[in-house]
Amino acid sequence: MKTFLITICFLLTLSLAFPIAAASDLPKAHPFYDEINYLINRDVVRGYPDGTMRPDVGVTRAEAVIMIGRLKGFDSKQRATNFSDVPASHQASGYIAAAATAKLITGYPDGTYRPNNTITRAEMAFILSRLFIVPFRAGVSFTDISPNMPVYEPIQQILAANITIGYPDKTFRPTEKVTRGQFSAFLARGLEAKFKNDATISHSYLRDKTKSYIYNTEYGTERHVYNYVPTRYGLEMGFVWSIYQEDGSLVTDTLEFETHEAYTFGMPYSEAYMELIYPVKVGQSWYTDTEYSAPRVITKTKVTVQTPYQTFTNAVEVTVPANPSFSEKGHVYYMVEGYGEVKSVELDGTIAKELKAVE
């Protein structure tokens, strides 16, 4: 038993004694190379004394907390915890105690934390939903997740935050084990906009979060910038698309997220509307507002649309019928993969919005 405990403590030390490029088991072709490298540069992830990174090995509940503790700057000093199986002598006890105090982790009903268990995707969802600010929720339609499951809301949060997208077969697989590389990718996506671009479906309509989008609108020129906003008007915000006028003044903060079923645009802590539903096909229709009497309809695909930025040849045309009862004139807008909405035209031909530049 003594030898076993020494081995566990040795592994948890995770001393970084080599540059990432020298890791014998982490080639640049590894799918999470960039994310792991990013976290190493932030001293969140460290390699092993034998020169390996072990990106495809399961990450334990203790290792996950060590990474979070380094990220948050928690005191790593070993000390007593409230978990019966994490004594003060445990290598990760300081981080575990601090994370529990910060309510980032919880244990099991029997009072244990089970630090050497490999973390599951459900447990990962709980931790990341507590770690990152997400002022909105995405609809969850994974075939293996239901609203009565405790993990439902955490998944809503990390899905909306572009931390995960699930699997192509529309499952989340909550009991599946998480590797060190995967956990690094989830953390990196919560911290950095460029990594969020990887958490997208095939043929995504989401915009590139590392770029700014400039539009001509009926109200003047607008610049949309994806950025981290800690708080706004006393509310926690997180990553949002902020819209600025030409003079630099803020118009509002918006959100944009996507699931396997729909592309949604909206406002933090407020309403959100489905701009497109999948699969994209002519005749597909949906309601975005219970008060609006007519549904939006996909009327054309593979449409050629001219904008000041460029001419697109693969746009999807969506028609919003007029509704005099609510002073709605009706309009047509065009969606393009990788660009979202590129143009909006009122039914009388007036251009309400069009993409001017991407920087």
Side-chain angles (χ1 to χ4, degrees):
M1 177 63 70
K2 181 176 180 181
T3 301
F4 174 75
L5 290 175
I6 291 174
T7 300
I8 291 296
C9 290
F10 173 76
L11 291 176
L12 285 172
T13 303
L14 305 180
S15 304
L16 178 61
F18 59 91
I20 182 65
S24 60
D25 58 349
L26 187 65
K28 289 186 177 181
H30 192 279
F32 303 127
Y33 176 88
D34 290 337
E35 289 90 338
I36 294 173
N37 194 24
Y38 167 77
L39 292 179
I40 283 179
N41 289 335
R42 294 193 59 160
D43 195 30
V44 173
V45 174
R46 299 177 184 177
Y48 292 88
D50 64 358
T52 62
M53 184 55 63
R54 307 179 194 176
D56 302 317
V57 172
V59 63
T60 68
R61 286 167 56 83
E63 289 175 324
V65 174
I66 289 174
M67 294 181 196
I68 292 168
R70 293 184 186 130
L71 175 63
K72 299 290 289 184
F74 289 156
D75 182 0
S76 63
K77 183 179 179 180
Q78 292 171 255
R79 55 190 182 276
T81 76
N82 291 326
F83 302 112
S84 60
D85 57 347
V86 185
S89 58
H90 192 285
Q91 180 71 20
S93 63
Y95 283 131
I96 290 174
T101 299
K103 299 183 178 180
L104 294 178
I105 61 169
T106 58
Y108 292 89
D110 64 359
T112 63
Y113 181 69
R114 306 176 193 175
N116 300 322
N117 282 11
T118 301
I119 199 168
T120 66
R121 285 172 59 83
E123 292 170 334
M124 172 274 300
F126 275 108
I127 292 175
L128 297 185
S129 69
R130 299 169 187 142
L131 182 63
F132 299 115
I133 301 170
V134 186
F136 41 92
R137 306 288 185 270
V140 174
S141 58
F142 296 121
T143 58
D144 54 353
I145 300 295
S146 62
N148 63 344
M149 297 172 67
V151 77
Y152 184 81
E153 185 173 347
I155 291 175
Q156 282 186 305
Q157 291 177 263
I158 64 173
L159 183 62
N162 290 123
I163 292 174
T164 187
I165 195 61
Y167 290 90
D169 64 358
K170 298 185 179 182
T171 62
F172 183 76
R173 307 178 192 176
T175 61
E176 189 170 278
K177 305 299 184 181
V178 178
T179 67
R180 282 167 52 82
Q182 290 169 337
F183 194 75
S184 296
F186 291 133
L187 280 180
R189 291 170 190 168
L191 294 166
E192 191 71 32
K194 67 180 180 180
F195 295 123
K196 291 179 180 289
N197 284 335
D198 296 329
T200 57
I201 64 171
S202 176
H203 303 291
S204 172
Y205 284 78
L206 293 177
R207 293 174 290 182
D208 186 335
K209 294 173 176 59
T210 66
K211 299 183 184 298
S212 297
Y213 293 76
I214 297 88
Y215 301 88
N216 289 330
T217 78
E218 55 189 321
Y219 306 107
T221 302
E222 292 181 349
R223 176 183 291 269
H224 294 211
V225 179
Y226 193 74
N227 55 173
Y228 182 79
V229 180
T231 60
R232 187 87 77 191
Y233 312 121
L235 296 172
E236 291 185 317
M237 298 297 284
F239 279 102
V240 292
W241 284 96
S242 297
I243 301 178
Y244 297 94
Q245 294 180 332
E246 198 167 10
D247 63 3
S249 58
L250 177 70
V251 177
T252 189
D253 295 306
T254 63
L255 57 93
E256 175 193 54
F257 57 87
E258 188 176 46
T259 65
H260 290 284
E261 284 69 42
Y263 167 99
T264 301
F265 181 85
M267 317 287 262
Y269 299 104
S270 187
E271 68 274 4
Y273 303 98
M274 288 188 295
E275 295 282 278
L276 198 60
I277 63 172
Y278 307 132
V280 173
K281 61 181 180 180
V282 174
Q284 188 87 280
S285 64
W286 66 97
Y287 290 88
T288 63
D289 192 319
T290 55
E291 294 181 348
Y292 194 75
S293 61
R296 300 186 180 201
V297 183
I298 296 177
T299 44
K300 294 179 184 178
T301 59
K302 299 181 181 179
V303 180
T304 296
V305 177
Q306 291 184 332
T307 72
Y309 175 61
Q310 72 176 54
T311 297
F312 297 95
T313 59
N314 60 335
V316 175
E317 179 185 271
V318 180
T319 298
V320 183
N323 186 351
S325 299
F326 292 91
S327 301
E328 294 284 355
K329 297 180 180 179
H331 64 283
V332 175
Y333 61 90
Y334 299 90
M335 303 284 291
V336 176
E337 290 182 14
Y339 292 90
E341 184 180 322
V342 299
K343 191 168 188 174
S344 178
V345 184
E346 295 180 3
L347 296 184
D348 64 4
T350 302
I351 296 176
K353 173 183 176 182
E354 57 184 345
L355 185 61
K356 178 182 180 181
V358 179
E359 301 175 347

